[in-house]
Amino acid sequence: SQKIEQNSEALNIQEGKTATLTCNYTNYSPAYLQWYRQDPGRGPVFLLLIRENEKEKRKERLKVTFDTTLKQSLFHITASQPADSATYLCALSSSNTGKLIFGQGTTLQVKP
Amino acid sequence: DAGITQSPRHKVTETGTPVTLRCHQTENHRYMYWYRQDPGHGLRLIHYSYGVKDTDKGEVSDGYSVSRSKTEDFLLTLESATSSQTSVYFCAIGTDNSPLHFGNGTRLTVT
């Protein structure tokens, strides 16, 4: 069955460091992958979309890579700030339905 | 919030009672979705709509029904609520090939 895995353990890093979050998937051939940010009590907010023919995408301090051979996406936040503390979700288009399937999310805590 | 309003924001109800959650959008978007979010499961698609009166099931549709009589409103109904339907429910608008915009959710507790 199709499966998306994100590290369920919280990631704690020091302010100024680069945070790297991982999204692995199995039994998928997604056309694209998306990353969202979710704050407590709020809905997810879209951050970046990367297509299968793109290796890397950047937006300000954010960078996403997409390796269809490894079936993995990495999400980087450089020069992290306490305001970056949130839960980050990856989402893939289901090869069965075309609808977005979400991972469980990884919580990032940036300490000052 | 991309013009998406969910109501109510919080609701407590008893097992066996009907519950309707409302999603209202001001973006005139064709596609609307209902997700539920639970610890350990992430966001799971319940139902979606691709136009007025056009709806389809998602991966966890059992026990839920939806209706879309107007472009701006998408209703999610639990005909007879069960404790397993205690969750946070999110409405979203968008298409399969574009980012989704989410509302801020409805926290439903079934006692």
Side-chain angles (χ1 to χ4, degrees), chain A residues 32 36 38 42-43 99 104, chain B residues 37 40 48 90 96 100 103-104:
Chain A
Y32 58 88
Y36 290 78
Q38 187 173 22
R42 307 285 298 226
K99 299 294 173 280
Q104 296 178 37
Chain B
Q37 187 173 39
Y48 63 97
F90 287 100
D96 292 345
L100 294 183
N104 281 325

Side-chain angles (χ1 to χ4, degrees), chain B residues 36-107:
Chain B
R36 61 179 287 176
Q37 187 173 39
D38 304 286
H41 288 281
L43 283 159
R44 292 181 291 172
L45 182 63
I46 306 171
H47 281 280
Y48 63 97
S49 170
Y50 42 96
V52 173
K53 292 186 170 35
D54 288 325
T55 64
D56 207 345
K57 297 178 180 180
E59 63 177 309
V60 289
S61 59
D62 288 347
Y64 302 94
S65 62
V66 290
S67 66
R68 185 131 177 240
S69 59
K70 296 186 291 184
T71 298
E72 58 266 34
D73 289 325
F74 192 30
L75 304 181
L76 177 70
T77 297
L78 291 65
E79 300 291 346
S80 178
T82 67
S83 58
S84 65
Q85 293 176 312
T86 292
S87 187
V88 181
Y89 292 86
F90 287 100
C91 174
I93 61 175
T95 65
D96 292 345
N97 297 316
S98 69
L100 294 183
H101 297 282
F102 287 84
N104 281 325
T106 293
R107 183 173 293 276

Side-chain angles (χ1 to χ4, degrees), chain A:
Chain A
S1 63
Q2 298 175 333
K3 196 173 180 181
I4 304 173
E5 289 185 354
Q6 293 186 256
N7 194 343
S8 58
E9 292 183 11
L11 178 63
N12 295 297
I13 65 168
Q14 207 66 35
E15 181 176 8
K17 301 294 186 184
T18 296
T20 298
L21 286 70
T22 305
C23 177
N24 295 302
Y25 59 93
T26 56
N27 299 324
Y28 270 106
S29 295
Y32 58 88
L33 184 149
Q34 301 182 21
W35 283 89
Y36 290 78
R37 169 185 173 138
Q38 187 173 22
D39 293 288
R42 307 285 298 226
V45 174
F46 170 76
L47 296 175
L48 282 167
L49 181 153
I50 185 166
R51 303 188 187 281
E52 59 179 341
N53 60 348
E54 297 175 315
K55 296 297 183 186
E56 183 179 297
K57 203 83 170 280
R58 291 176 184 262
K59 179 182 176 183
E60 298 173 350
R61 295 184 295 111
L62 309 181
K63 184 178 84 171
V64 171
T65 62
F66 193 9
D67 189 325
T68 55
T69 301
L70 292 178
K71 295 187 181 299
Q72 180 182 79
S73 175
L74 299 179
F75 177 80
H76 306 273
I77 305 175
T78 58
S80 59
Q81 305 165 1
D84 294 326
S85 299
T87 296
Y88 292 86
L89 311 172
C90 74
L92 298 164
S93 54
S94 167
S95 51
N96 291 339
T97 67
K99 299 294 173 280
L100 274 185
I101 307 294
F102 284 82
Q104 296 178 37
T106 298
T107 298
L108 171 67
Q109 187 72 33
V110 181
K111 298 185 185 303

